[in-house]
Amino acid sequence: MADLFDQPGASSSAPRPLADRLRPAKLADVIGQAHLLGKGGSLRTMLDGGNLPSLVFWGPPGVGKTTIARLLADETDLHFVQISAIFTGVPELRKVFEAARIRRQNGKGTLLFVDEIHRFNKAQQDGFLPHMEDGTILLVGATTENPSFELNAALLSRAQVLVLNRLEPKALEQLAARAEKDMGRALPLKPEARSQLLDMADGDGRALLNLMEQIFTWKDVASPEEMAKRLARRAAKYDKSGDEHYNLISALHKSVRGSDPDAALYWLARMLTGGEDPRYLARRITRMAVEDIGLADPAAQRQCLDAWETYERLGSPEGELALAQAVLYLALAPKSNAAYAAYKNALAAARKFGSEPPPKHILNAPTGMMKDQGFGAGYEYDHDAEAGFSGQNYFPETMKRGIYYLPVERGHERELKKRLDYFAKLRSQRNKG
């Protein structure tokens, strides 16, 4: 297989980046993906069984998607072709497919690696299907986005999705040691700075090697403070319209629901430092108050609306503190989704019995004809009833009484449950009477 830098006009003695020099020569050398390539790993099992299907690699940048695809071509004796969905249009795809067809006629298969495959539109993705089905290509796609949302069902049905993990500190340390061996010397960093460097890489092996390449040029041993001054900190990986957006708002919501104020603050800070719109966060935080706290603490919703208004008046960054305060309040508030569940149950009943009319006794009768039809007949004015409660039926006459709201024994809903039980007892007594 030709090397990445073996291109027409390129000298074999041309300097190569550290990340390319350390590219693994075999699958066993790949770091951090043992769940796929180790003993019993899914990809290793496919290779050992001699049955490699088309694949989609889903994972963050710098974890080995391209490298593994190249090594798969080596191990399966397939011709490796790499394209990027960003720079490839329909004419170029046709040329790739035609070359693969000719190659197949001559007895050589093709592994087509498509980087950023989610960037192709539906029609372009559909264009791969016949060539996958007749064996012209073995497709290996790579994406940082959730394939369930970004790739066609037809393509996914013909490929297996394999998840690649971000590199953990132990894997990054292995990679750093491999780089030091290649360079023949240790990084000129104090131990604390070395640990900080691994944090800066943020699970991205390529980023780590690029940072190390800069550090290897330093003459003196740097402290954490000196390293921070010399290196530009990488921006946190955060795509406001992609997976990370949905993953982090989910983490924030579940931390609030789980009554963990510290975790909730962390995820709020992650989203704000990533550039998320604070107004989006204000809206979602208010939703949390309604969905997960509800009537267990009616003041929670007001806290969120006040924080939202405060942000609108102050703007960033001062107004973000109001959002943090609201998140803390929600995390520590008593939790109940009883109102949310009751609403969903009522919606389901409304869809099922959507054409049933209200009982006639609770209908107004502004005309004589309507009175003759029985509208309003027998209605009991609750304020005149004993205890201010008549116990009449307010559901459609042909519909069994529904029970949707089940308050919990927490916070203010504990009092609401007492009231609900009281009215249920009165209703039962009145109905028996």
Side-chain angles (χ1 to χ4, degrees):
M1 178 187 69
D3 186 87
L4 181 64
F5 287 81
D6 289 344
Q7 299 175 8
S11 169
S12 59
S13 61
R16 297 167 58 194
L18 181 62
D20 184 66
R21 295 204 307 273
L22 293 182
R23 194 184 294 277
K26 55 184 185 295
L27 287 171
D29 295 335
V30 174
I31 290 174
Q33 308 302 334
H35 66 294
L36 298 180
L37 299 169
K39 185 177 180 181
S42 53
L43 187 51
R44 184 73 263 166
T45 301
M46 294 176 195
L47 288 168
D48 291 344
N51 182 28
L52 185 66
S54 288
L55 303 168
V56 174
F57 291 154
W58 174 26
V63 297
K65 296 187 289 293
T66 304
T67 295
I68 293 174
R70 286 178 173 274
L71 296 176
L72 284 177
D74 283 348
E75 188 148 337
T76 55
D77 195 28
L78 295 173
H79 182 79
F80 182 78
V81 177
Q82 178 177 352
I83 62 174
S84 170
I86 298 175
F87 304 112
T88 306
V90 173
E92 291 83 6
L93 279 176
R94 289 196 185 110
K95 292 178 183 177
V96 169
F97 295 145
E98 178 61 18
R101 185 186 63 80
I102 295 171
R103 202 176 292 119
R104 186 179 178 221
Q105 290 175 348
N106 293 327
K108 184 74 170 179
T110 300
L111 187 151
L112 176 60
F113 177 68
V114 183
D115 200 14
E116 304 285 347
I117 191 171
H118 63 278
R119 303 273 187 172
F120 279 135
N121 61 35
K122 183 180 186 303
Q124 290 170 316
Q125 291 181 30
D126 286 342
F128 288 95
L129 303 181
H131 307 290
M132 295 166 65
E133 290 173 348
D134 67 11
T136 300
I137 61 168
L138 187 145
L139 176 69
V140 178
T143 178
T144 56
E145 302 294 331
N146 190 327
S148 301
F149 302 139
E150 303 295 337
L151 299 183
N152 293 350
L155 191 150
L156 286 176
S157 70
R158 293 163 174 80
Q160 288 202 31
V161 176
L162 299 181
V163 179
L164 277 75
N165 298 329
R166 70 191 301 275
L167 299 185
E168 299 297 329
K170 182 178 179 181
L172 290 173
E173 181 57 53
Q174 284 182 267
L175 191 57
R178 190 176 289 179
E180 289 173 320
K181 183 178 180 181
D182 177 84
M183 295 295 294
R185 60 193 179 94
L187 277 170
L189 294 176
K190 293 182 179 179
E192 299 85 355
R194 185 186 183 91
S195 177
Q196 183 175 303
L197 173 66
L198 301 184
D199 291 339
M200 289 180 70
D202 197 19
D204 185 329
R206 187 186 304 110
L208 173 65
L209 294 175
N210 289 340
L211 291 170
M212 291 181 69
E213 197 154 26
Q214 296 180 56
I215 295 170
F216 274 124
T217 64
W218 299 350
K219 304 301 181 184
D220 55 328
V221 177
S223 67
E225 295 75 21
E226 291 166 335
M227 185 182 72
K229 289 179 183 178
R230 298 178 192 180
L231 292 178
R233 179 170 287 275
R234 300 177 65 233
K237 292 193 285 286
Y238 184 71
D239 181 355
K240 288 188 284 184
S241 62
D243 276 353
E244 205 65 14
H245 166 85
Y246 296 106
N247 289 343
L248 266 59
I249 193 61
S250 175
L252 171 59
H253 195 152
K254 290 181 173 65
S255 298
V256 165
R257 182 182 294 154
S259 300
D260 190 332
D262 296 313
L265 270 184
Y266 171 75
W267 294 118
L268 175 71
R270 278 279 299 272
M271 297 188 80
L272 287 171
T273 56
E276 184 58 77
D277 183 356
R279 292 177 179 84
Y280 167 79
L281 288 166
R283 180 170 64 83
R284 289 301 299 258
I285 290 166
T286 305
R287 163 67 187 263
M288 295 172 202
V290 176
E291 179 178 337
D292 287 298
I293 295 163
L295 294 173
D297 185 351
Q301 186 176 331
R302 185 69 257 169
Q303 282 276 345
C304 295
L305 292 173
D306 286 347
W308 195 340
E309 183 178 355
T310 301
Y311 176 80
E312 293 293 351
R313 288 173 179 262
L314 295 181
S316 293
E318 293 88 347
E320 292 167 6
L321 179 58
L323 300 181
Q325 180 175 296
V327 164
L328 286 173
Y329 188 97
L330 297 188
L332 294 172
K335 304 298 188 297
S336 172
N337 72 338
Y340 180 54
Y343 175 62
K344 291 197 295 183
N345 291 337
L347 280 178
R351 295 187 185 102
K352 185 175 181 180
F353 303 102
S355 60
E356 297 289 341
K360 287 185 178 181
H361 66 269
I362 64 172
L363 297 178
N364 291 329
T367 68
M369 184 189 74
M370 296 174 75
K371 288 181 180 178
D372 293 340
Q373 292 292 322
F375 284 29
Y379 173 64
E380 297 181 32
Y381 190 54
D382 283 79
H383 293 291
D384 293 339
E386 183 182 350
F389 180 76
S390 68
Q392 283 194 299
N393 176 52
Y394 300 103
F395 279 90
E397 293 175 352
T398 57
M399 178 181 168
K400 183 180 178 181
R401 176 179 177 78
I403 299 177
Y404 310 131
Y405 180 47
L406 299 170
V408 298
E409 291 279 0
R410 289 188 293 276
H412 181 66
E413 275 201 334
R414 184 181 293 113
E415 296 303 314
L416 297 183
K417 186 176 188 305
K418 291 178 182 177
R419 296 185 206 175
L420 194 64
D421 292 343
Y422 170 69
F423 289 132
K425 182 179 179 181
L426 284 183
R427 183 179 295 109
S428 176
Q429 291 172 351
R430 302 283 165 85
N431 288 340
K432 287 179 180 177

